[in-house]
Amino acid sequence: MRKTVFQIAKSVLAAVLISLVFVLLFTVIIQLFTVPMGAVKPVNQVFKIISVSLGGLIFIRGDKGLLKGVIYGVIAVVITYLLYGIISFSLTISWMFLAELAIGAVAGGISGVIAVNIKKST
């Protein structure tokens, strides 16, 4: 149980840090080039999906990859949503947040399943 909690915590931390790096890089790109404001939200969604996926692939091991992945995916989305809201001074809960939770759960679940199966074969 303790090992599972640490795997989930490390995966969440990795996903949040990777997401922040992506957002920082994208902010620099926005400053240097003309990027339509309509592109910001979809790009941030892609960053979250990639971040959640990488966090699971790096730290999820053992068994129950789907369950671990869904849990850390949802937690990572909640934390990044809160963090982005605090950074932008606009924290609002909407239907989009529910969609992000679902996407995070799916991305986490898929990456968790892949991660445990990759680790078993090596």
Side-chain angles (χ1 to χ4, degrees), residues 16 19 24 32 37 41 89 93-94 111-112 120-121:
V16 170
S19 181
L24 179 63
L32 295 175
M37 291 310 291
K41 285 193 180 203
F89 299 110
I93 304 295
S94 67
S111 67
K120 284 182 182 177
S121 66

Side-chain angles (χ1 to χ4, degrees), residues 15-81:
V16 170
L17 290 175
I18 292 167
S19 181
L20 287 173
V21 168
F22 280 148
V23 169
L24 179 63
L25 292 173
F26 189 55
T27 302
V28 171
I29 290 170
I30 288 173
Q31 296 296 321
L32 295 175
F33 304 102
T34 305
V35 177
M37 291 310 291
V40 173
K41 285 193 180 203
V43 169
N44 280 338
Q45 295 305 321
V46 170
F47 289 160
K48 284 182 186 180
I49 292 169
I50 293 170
S51 300
V52 167
S53 298
L54 289 175
L57 290 173
I58 295 169
F59 290 110
I60 298 296
R61 290 177 173 68
D63 57 353
K64 299 180 185 174
L66 179 64
L67 181 62
K68 291 177 187 176
V70 169
I71 291 170
Y72 95 82
V74 168
I75 294 171
V77 167
V78 169
I79 291 174
T80 55
Y81 197 83

